[in-house]
Amino acid sequence: MGKRIVITGVPGVGKTTVVNGALGKLAEEGIIYQSINFGTVMFEVACAQKVVSDRDGMRKLPGPVQREIQRKAAQAIAKTEGNVIIDTHCTVKTPKGFLAGLPEWVLRELMPDMVILVETDEDQILGRRLTDTTRVRDPDSSKEIALHQEYNRGMAAAYSMVSGCMVKIVKNQDFLLDRAIADMAEALM
Ligand code: AP5
């Protein structure tokens, strides 16, 4: 079966950067993971349904539409075999409130061995969002980012209760990307 690891973190925390670094390290050791971005699979489903034109627009769609796209993405990803990383979100901040990234029907499709939360100080995340011009980030304050990270920890605990998965926190601090990559690689070994 291989391992199924879910990687989460608020937008702009750097989860994709850390995962890519860790995958490079692991490949040197002969450990191979397939990395799947849940948002990308959702975006493909959403484009096929012609409901959205850019990936940052998905979290603004009505809740039932997001949930339906989410379910289809989970069903497609669940078919993947071998060691798999699923780069996604514990919760998605939508205009109507927090949407669970892994509601029960998604969790039961994926049944991860581990959920990893990538975190850092809220001020650092705010700074990264402001300098990343490739994405359309929500204009959250530091306090709102801190609340989102706190809420994600609670949700990760709930996911662990339902699926029995481990929960691990990897810190991705400014100037310490190498340490984050090493911690992530160790968790994936
Ligand atoms: P997704 O594409 O995952 O959106 P995202 O969270 O915004 O992801 P990013 O890849 O942009 O951010 P990141 O945290 O990976 O940061 P990055 O490495 O780029 O998802 C898109 C959408 O899909 C969601 O909005 C949602 O609508 C939907 N979706 C996804 N999963 C879902 C689910 N389960 N249910 C429902 N909807 C779902 O880094 C950011 C910046 O920081 C970069 O400039 C980088 O260079 C810099 N950086 C990184 N690390 C460091 C460091 N240590 N020091 C300094 N700078 C750093």
Side-chain angles (χ1 to χ4, degrees), residues 9-18 37-40 42-43 55-60 66 70 87-93 99-103 106 118 124 128-129 131-132 134-135 137 172-178 180:
V10 298
V13 71
K15 56 190 186 308
T16 307
T17 305
V18 176
N37 187 299
F38 200 102
T40 301
M42 278 186 65
F43 188 48
R55 63 191 292 134
D56 287 306
M58 288 193 294
R59 59 182 176 270
K60 311 270 167 39
Q66 288 190 61
Q70 187 184 47
D87 183 338
T88 186
H89 293 270
C90 255
T91 62
V92 178
K93 197 172 176 200
L99 173 81
L102 305 168
V106 169
V118 181
Q124 294 181 5
R128 290 176 202 170
R129 287 186 186 180
T131 51
D132 183 0
T134 64
R135 298 296 298 268
R137 305 291 189 193
N172 179 31
Q173 294 169 284
D174 281 352
F175 312 112
L176 293 171
L177 179 59
D178 286 350

Side-chain angles (χ1 to χ4, degrees), residues 5 14 23 27 31 48 52 59 75 78 88 101 103 105 120 137 159 165 167-168 175 179 182 187:
I5 315 288
L23 290 182
I31 302 170
V52 83
R59 59 182 176 270
Q75 286 167 346
T88 186
W105 59 87
T120 193
R137 305 291 189 193
Y159 297 152
C165 69
V167 175
K168 178 158 179 73
F175 312 112
R179 184 181 293 176

Side-chain angles (χ1 to χ4, degrees), residues 57-71:
M58 288 193 294
R59 59 182 176 270
K60 311 270 167 39
L61 289 169
V65 178
Q66 288 190 61
R67 285 194 290 275
E68 183 53 24
I69 298 170
Q70 187 184 47
R71 181 196 299 271

